[in-house]
Amino acid sequence: RKLDKEYPDSNIIIVENAIKALQKIVQAHREKFNYPVIGVTGSNGKTIVKEWLHQSMHHDFKVVRSPKSYNSQIGVPLSVWNMTDKKNLAIFEAGISEPDEMDNLQKIIQPTIGVFTNIGSAHGQNFINDSHKVKEKLKLFRKSKLIVYCRDHTIVNQSITDFWSHTINDEAEKPAFLSWSEKVFADLRIVNKQIEYNATKISCTHQEKELEFLIPFTDKSSVENAMHCICVMLHFKYNPKQINKKL
C-alpha cells in the first residue's frame, strides 16, 4: 500500500524482516568506528557494570553506552546506532534468552573487550544446562582482544578454556584474559577481604604488586560487579589511587 500521504517526508524501505534489516544496517554503522568497544554479558549485573564503568571513565573518555537495559535483539542495535566519531569509547550490554541469538549481537557490537559478569538461573529454560548457556553467551567475545571474568565461577572458567581451545586453533587469534579470584590463582588475586563500616576493603596482588581497593558496598553482588570494573580500569592503565577515587 502507498504510504506517501501518511509519511510525506520519509523514505520507506520494504524488507522481509524488520528486525534483521535493522541489525544489518546497524552492523554496517558499527564498522565505521575503530575505538574500543566493551561488551558486557552474563546472567546478572550487566547493567550495573555498564553504568559503573561509565561513571568511572566518562571524565576521561567520551563514552557512548546502552540506554537503560537495552540488551535484546532490538535493544542492542538501538544502542549501537548511537556510536559517532565524536566518541572514543563504547560500552554495550548484551543478553540472550535462546541459543544462537548471540551470533546476531556479536556482529552488531563487535566488542574489542569482553566482560563476563556471572552465570545464574535467568532464561535457563531454553538451554540444556548452565555450561550450554555460558558457551552461547561467550559467542559475543568470539573476536575480542581481551576478556575479563572471575575464575571463581567454575562453569564460566571451564567454558572459557574450552571455548577458545575448540573454536580457535591459531594462538595469535586467541584473546588475552584478565581474570580475578578469591580462591585460585588469577591475574588479580584477592588475598584479603574485610568489612569496614559500610565498605569492603580488598587487598590483592597484580603483576607482582600489592594493591588495595575500598569498595563502598558490602554485599557479594556489588563487590563482584566492582571487581569487574577494577579489572577493566587496570587494563586502561588507571593506577590504584585513581581507581579508588572512581570507586
Side-chain angles (χ1 to χ4, degrees), residues 92-106:
F92 301 122
E93 58 178 286
I96 58 172
S97 56
E98 297 179 1
D100 301 322
E101 285 186 331
M102 195 61 90
D103 290 309
N104 299 329
L105 303 187
Q106 189 279 329

Side-chain angles (χ1 to χ4, degrees), residues 17-25:
N17 184 303
I19 294 176
K20 288 183 179 179
L22 172 67
Q23 291 175 344
K24 286 185 177 181
I25 291 169

